[in-house]
Amino acid sequence: MATGATVSQGSQPLTGLAKRLVNDGVFSAEVAQDAVAQARSANQPFIHYIISHRLVSAHRAATAASEEFGLPLFDLDMLADDVIPREVIAESLITKHKALPLKIRDNRLYIALADPTNIQALDEIKFSTGKTTEAVIVEEDKLVRRLEHFLDSANDAMDELNTEDLELEAGDSTQEEKDEAEDAANETPIVRFVNKVLLDAIRKGASDIHFEPYEKAYRVRCRIDGMLQEVHRPPLNLANRLTARLKVMSRMDISERRVPQDGRIKLKVSNRRTIDFRVNTLPTLWGEKIVLRILDPGSAKMGVEALGFEPDQKEAYLTTLEQPQGMILVTGPTGSGKTVSLYTGLNILNTEERNISTAEDPVEINLEGINQVHVNPKVGLTFAEALRAFLRQDPDVVMVGEIRDLETAEISIKAAQTGHMVLSTLHTNSAPETLTRLRNMGVPAFNIATSVSLIIAQRLGRRLCGNCKQPITLPEAALLEEGFTPEQVANLELHEANAEGCSKCNRGYKGRVGIYEMMKMSPEIAECIMQNGNSLDILRVAQEQGFRTLRQSGLMKVAAGLTSLEELNRVIKV
């Protein structure tokens, strides 16, 4: 290994960070020389080049830069958003130099930088702000993430907001107070900001939006590809105005802040596309939290190919749907895509010749040609009552949002045994457990064996970005321990997410992929149920007939490069 005194690039010796990393044994002199040349050719900072090309980790590069240039090193994860000084640096300078303001002390402004050689950034910020600037070294990946949040929260709509607080009394409001709240909700800047949040969430493919008040902060988060991410942090004194605006849009009582409320928003985003939002408010310690569930009718009209079934699973689902009677049960946790799977099946069955009725709590997406009922237990319209009414309405297909109790289960099974196709959901972890759950609810084993046709257990995992996913190599022993077969290991090409992501994805992932286990009722499984076999007994019998568990199906998605092993382990435990 060449030392710092002898390392050179042609006739010019390596200096600065490149020299230190070579001396520290991070990489060889030849690698350093090539990296310096490539970074110059690409007009990139050296530190950005070596991190983006995975020659060194962001943490190691930041540590070395701190030691080489004698600058303090700071962990951005330890910095609270509400202490970052805002409006002190123009957004254009922040974007241009990737510089985040950290703190102002007296007339000294501390700036977070990943590249300590960017002297131009400090000079321009000093000239713009009139303050003495000092650089603080941070890890590049953490800086990129914090800058995204910082710039999002400083959008144009928020720049125009009047941050003067509008106090709302906690007790009953007079008509004058209601009018004031409505006036605040209809202020143009507030309207623009809320609309921007909704439209941005739709563009990013979010499923939910959370507006959350806390004692010293207010944040807006979106659930994208199943993961919550902070997207805005508006000033806390705007909380009441934002809440009022959302309530007005949802046609809720803006003066009622003591109990939860439900509402809906319909947003027309184009001449041919309208998005529905299901809105719920919840009184919390520091104000009302509001969650919007985004209901895109387009998601219910996907073809069966878009669900991500394996060929044999797709055939099993379509074959069962064609049967004149029986029961299809879809199971999985909240957010696993059960509704989309059911709606896809309903759309396949939705023809002029069929009478289809659904009982849902709530009705999430309107489907033309299908009679949808919103159950309301407060007035006695339960799933069971709706089902009884359906059976007097000459149905061909019945969908029950969820089987929650014995009464609903018994009526559903009766319908499946008397010439109707029934679709429903249960909250269990796997297909075999669904059969034992029905028995534990009190349904006789004979009725289960003769009515249930197909059980689908499912999960949703984040899909790897096809543009920036990266190959990864793991030891054979580790792969076998994860559940891969020796045959799979022999030809396996694994990929992982690029943590930095690209312009087409969200930190290495884009969209989601369905993972399924599908159990068709067979004479052998029916016999096992009749003999009071538990879920393990049923699983053993099913596996003898070629049944794949969720884990096995997920490993197939990993092997196909659709998702990562890390993501599979997140959604399905070993």
Side-chain angles (χ1 to χ4, degrees), residues 269-282:
V269 296
S270 69
N271 291 334
R272 296 185 178 181
R273 188 183 181 198
T274 299
I275 304 293
D276 286 341
F277 297 83
R278 191 180 77 213
V279 188
N280 176 263
T281 68
L282 178 69

Side-chain angles (χ1 to χ4, degrees), residues 250-282:
S250 309
R251 300 188 179 183
M252 298 180 186
D253 183 354
I254 62 174
S255 65
E256 179 57 77
R257 293 177 290 277
R258 299 163 297 181
V259 297
Q261 296 187 63
D262 292 296
R264 294 181 81 96
I265 297 173
K266 187 180 289 289
L267 188 64
K268 188 174 182 180
V269 296
S270 69
N271 291 334
R272 296 185 178 181
R273 188 183 181 198
T274 299
I275 304 293
D276 286 341
F277 297 83
R278 191 180 77 213
V279 188
N280 176 263
T281 68
L282 178 69

Side-chain angles (χ1 to χ4, degrees), residues 35 51 53 71 188 200 214 254 288 350 411 480 544:
I51 293 173
H53 286 74
L71 296 172
T188 300
D200 284 349
Y214 298 97
I254 62 174
E288 290 179 278
N350 188 11
I411 300 173
L480 293 173
E544 291 173 356

Side-chain angles (χ1 to χ4, degrees), residues 203-404:
R203 293 190 190 104
K204 293 177 180 178
S207 60
D208 303 87
I209 311 171
H210 295 238
F211 291 81
E212 303 170 310
Y214 298 97
E215 181 180 11
K216 297 181 179 179
Y218 190 96
R219 69 177 176 181
V220 182
R221 293 190 292 173
C222 288
R223 189 176 295 279
I224 302 172
D225 296 336
M227 305 289 284
L228 277 172
Q229 300 173 17
E230 183 176 311
V231 293
H232 293 287
R233 191 171 280 262
L236 179 60
N237 56 7
L238 296 174
N240 289 335
R241 295 182 177 184
L242 292 171
T243 298
R245 174 59 187 166
L246 290 166
K247 282 185 168 184
V248 168
M249 294 176 72
S250 309
R251 300 188 179 183
M252 298 180 186
D253 183 354
I254 62 174
S255 65
E256 179 57 77
R257 293 177 290 277
R258 299 163 297 181
V259 297
Q261 296 187 63
D262 292 296
R264 294 181 81 96
I265 297 173
K266 187 180 289 289
L267 188 64
K268 188 174 182 180
V269 296
S270 69
N271 291 334
R272 296 185 178 181
R273 188 183 181 198
T274 299
I275 304 293
D276 286 341
F277 297 83
R278 191 180 77 213
V279 188
N280 176 263
T281 68
L282 178 69
T284 68
L285 186 62
W286 305 109
E288 290 179 278
K289 174 180 178 179
I290 301 181
V291 176
L292 287 73
R293 167 65 59 88
I294 302 175
L295 308 172
D296 185 356
S299 65
K301 298 179 181 179
M302 297 188 304
V304 69
E305 294 80 9
L307 294 179
F309 289 137
E310 298 296 333
D312 59 328
Q313 296 174 334
K314 173 185 172 183
E315 181 182 0
Y317 191 34
L318 294 178
T319 301
T320 307
L321 286 172
E322 292 173 358
Q323 296 177 2
Q325 67 183 58
M327 179 182 287
I328 297 176
L329 294 174
V330 183
T331 182
T334 301
S336 60
K338 300 188 298 295
T339 300
V340 173
S341 295
L342 287 176
Y343 279 7
T344 300
L346 288 177
N347 275 309
I348 293 172
L349 296 171
N350 188 11
T351 63
E352 184 180 349
E353 295 79 18
R354 290 191 179 96
N355 175 22
I356 304 176
S357 297
T358 73
E360 305 172 61
D361 183 21
V363 175
E364 293 194 352
I365 298 175
N366 298 327
L367 300 175
E368 186 176 352
I370 295 177
N371 308 292
Q372 296 173 272
V373 175
H374 187 135
V375 301
N376 186 356
K378 292 181 180 179
V379 299
L381 182 56
T382 61
F383 281 120
E385 286 301 318
L387 270 172
R388 290 193 184 93
F390 289 167
L391 296 179
R392 295 190 291 269
Q393 294 250 324
D394 185 31
D396 296 298
V397 179
V398 171
M399 196 269 272
V400 185
E402 182 183 350
I403 294 178
R404 298 175 178 172

Side-chain angles (χ1 to χ4, degrees), residues 21 26-27 47 50-58 60-61:
L21 290 171
V26 176
F27 43 60
I47 192 169
I50 60 175
I51 293 173
S52 62
H53 286 74
R54 303 175 69 83
L55 299 177
V56 65
S57 69
R60 185 68 186 87

Side-chain angles (χ1 to χ4, degrees), residues 165-224:
D165 198 4
L166 175 64
E167 294 289 342
L168 296 177
E169 296 295 329
D172 293 335
S173 298
T174 64
Q175 185 59 46
E176 182 179 353
E177 288 170 333
K178 292 180 182 180
D179 292 341
E180 288 180 0
E182 288 203 36
D183 289 341
N186 290 321
E187 289 181 19
T188 300
I190 291 286
V191 171
R192 288 183 58 193
F193 175 67
V194 171
N195 288 347
K196 183 182 188 307
V197 171
L198 302 188
L199 289 172
D200 284 349
I202 294 170
R203 293 190 190 104
K204 293 177 180 178
S207 60
D208 303 87
I209 311 171
H210 295 238
F211 291 81
E212 303 170 310
Y214 298 97
E215 181 180 11
K216 297 181 179 179
Y218 190 96
R219 69 177 176 181
V220 182
R221 293 190 292 173
C222 288
R223 189 176 295 279
I224 302 172

